[in-house]
Amino acid sequence: MFTGIISGTGTIKSIMGSKRTSNSDRRIRLELGRVGKGLLKKTAAEFEIVKETMDRTTLGSFKDGESVNIERSLKLSDRFEGHIVLGHVDGVGEISDVIKFPAEIKMWIRVKGKEMMKYLVPKGSVTVDGISLTVVDVGKYKFSVALVPHTVSKTTIGTKVRGDTVNLEFDILSKYLANLIPKN
């Protein structure tokens, strides 16, 4: 479990095709930098990527040298900030607008998969590329978030522009509640 409070960014060193001895479709090697200190003996880590992940996320479009957000998993003794994040991407969104203000950036994200809009409410939580954010506005097929300077400078979201795709994880509490409501 995570909270969506990013520890830092890492760099994709390589994305490799699957090995015959593995059930995964791909392997990704990440340079963790300072985030890996005390976590691993080396500064890089490898992860297997299964077909479900490739189908549901933006990972297939990543290239060597790109930056990714990194968060260590939550320990029971950690302070709980952000919101409950499982790290399971629900789908992909596309940035439809980026509006810059003196002290913030308002980003609009179009949801690909209209059925997922039911999980969004103003002032609720959403995870965008692993970052815990507060939903500001909810439109017909899009929503907005407000980005403070710290989030823009410490994560990859500050490099995103109109037309870029992002990974979306909707709040688990919203998903449970939506599942409890009888379907007509």
Side-chain angles (χ1 to χ4, degrees):
M1 187 167 86
F2 304 91
T3 64
I5 304 299
I6 302 302
S7 306
T9 59
T11 305
I12 297 174
K13 286 303 192 188
S14 63
I15 299 178
M16 302 159 277
S18 66
K19 298 176 182 175
R20 292 179 188 220
T21 58
S22 171
N23 289 328
S24 69
D25 293 311
R26 303 249 173 109
R27 290 182 69 79
I28 187 170
R29 183 173 177 79
L30 290 179
E31 177 65 41
L32 301 174
R34 69 171 183 79
V35 180
K37 287 191 182 211
L39 183 65
L40 301 166
K41 291 181 181 180
K42 300 178 181 177
T43 61
E46 284 189 14
F47 303 92
E48 292 182 345
I49 307 166
V50 296
K51 184 179 183 320
E52 170 74 4
T53 302
M54 296 299 289
D55 290 347
R56 197 175 283 266
T57 70
T58 62
L59 200 53
S61 65
F62 283 32
K63 295 176 181 48
D64 293 357
E66 279 192 63
S67 293
V68 293
N69 295 317
I70 298 176
E71 177 186 0
R72 291 182 181 205
S73 58
L74 184 66
K75 294 185 286 191
L76 289 176
S77 61
D78 286 347
R79 188 174 155 172
F80 192 86
E81 299 172 339
H83 74 281
I84 298 170
V85 176
L86 301 178
H88 303 297
V89 174
D90 294 304
V92 173
E94 181 180 319
I95 297 172
S96 61
D97 205 358
V98 178
I99 306 163
K100 295 182 180 185
F101 297 100
E104 71 179 85
I105 294 174
K106 188 171 193 177
M107 183 176 283
W108 282 90
I109 301 170
R110 184 175 298 112
V111 176
K112 294 182 178 183
K114 299 167 189 157
E115 71 282 354
M116 293 186 278
M117 289 300 297
K118 65 185 171 193
Y119 304 129
L120 294 166
V121 294
K123 308 304 177 257
S125 299
V126 66
T127 306
V128 178
D129 279 351
I131 307 163
S132 174
L133 297 171
T134 300
V135 176
V136 176
D137 305 292
V138 178
K140 190 168 183 178
Y141 301 118
K142 62 183 181 176
F143 67 96
S144 71
V145 293
L147 306 171
V148 297
H150 178 81
T151 301
V152 171
S153 69
K154 299 294 182 187
T155 69
T156 62
I157 202 147
T159 65
K160 301 291 183 183
V161 296
R162 186 177 188 194
D164 284 351
T165 55
V166 291
N167 293 307
L168 301 174
E169 179 184 336
F170 298 99
D171 184 63
I172 188 65
L173 300 176
S174 292
K175 291 190 278 189
Y176 278 125
L177 286 171
N179 197 41
L180 287 173
I181 297 170
K183 296 169 180 84
N184 295 331

